[in-house]
Amino acid sequence: MNIKSILHAMLPHAGLGHLLETYLTWSGVGFICSFIASSLDKHSDVPYAAYYTSALNDAVGFKFWILLAVVGTLLFCLSLPVLYLSLHFPALTEFSRRLRRFTYTFFLVAFDEGGLMIGILTANFIDTSERISLLANKSFLFSDVGFFTILALCLLNSLLWLFGEAIHSRNAQTYSGVVALLMRVPLKFSLPGYLVVTAVLANLVVSQ
């Protein structure tokens, strides 16, 4: 397989159109809400402005996004061997399907939260007013939010979508993309790689 065919095979059943649509939906909500809060703040006193700032802070949070991403990733690592065993032992098929769907839920919520964060940070990047900058700093603990910060979050959030949609497809009720590729890799190659990657991820989670 050449690089082009491998990249095409890595795409889940949902397709890039689903990725773009979801990004536009959730980042759009965050973007618009940020400007609404900023506009209302111009006609209000400080307590009133603080109410709307805290409303967006309660809606999304960087630490919560990290938690969802970590739990989803660990469940993803657990789902892969269960899925592999279910291909050889049909009795595990239903358990594997439920575990994959549960894992997908964490990735889905994390991606949606990430989309909101990206929308709010983009609003902060465009409108550098004091209130909206304060909102971004309080919500995500970022200072001097710039283009590369937003780009990095977009890439990480897209990876959540890629793995989430690959581990479970809502329409087809099966796996696809990266997961399908991994299931076709010979065990003598996939097992050492899986153990190394899982050990590194587990160590990162524990050390942080």
Side-chain angles (χ1 to χ4, degrees), residues 21-120:
E21 179 185 357
T22 309
Y23 256 135
L24 290 175
T25 300
W26 288 99
S27 62
V29 169
F31 186 84
I32 293 172
C33 286
S34 295
F35 278 99
I36 290 176
S38 179
S39 299
L40 290 174
D41 176 48
K42 296 175 182 177
H43 307 285
S44 313
D45 54 15
V46 175
Y48 189 73
Y51 175 84
Y52 286 99
T53 300
S54 63
L56 285 180
N57 287 341
D58 292 339
V60 293
F62 183 66
K63 290 184 178 180
F64 185 55
W65 178 76
I66 289 290
L67 174 63
L68 291 170
V70 167
V71 173
T73 302
L74 293 178
L75 286 173
F76 182 85
C77 292
L78 178 62
S79 298
L80 290 179
V82 174
L83 174 59
Y84 180 83
L85 290 174
S86 70
L87 298 177
H88 298 82
F89 302 97
L92 292 173
T93 301
E94 182 60 22
F95 174 70
S96 174
R97 185 184 67 82
R98 291 180 179 273
L99 179 59
R100 288 188 294 107
R101 185 171 61 183
F102 185 62
T103 303
Y104 166 77
T105 302
F106 279 89
F107 280 120
L108 175 67
V109 178
F111 177 74
D112 293 345
E113 290 278 346
L116 282 172
M117 286 198 303
I118 291 167
I120 293 175

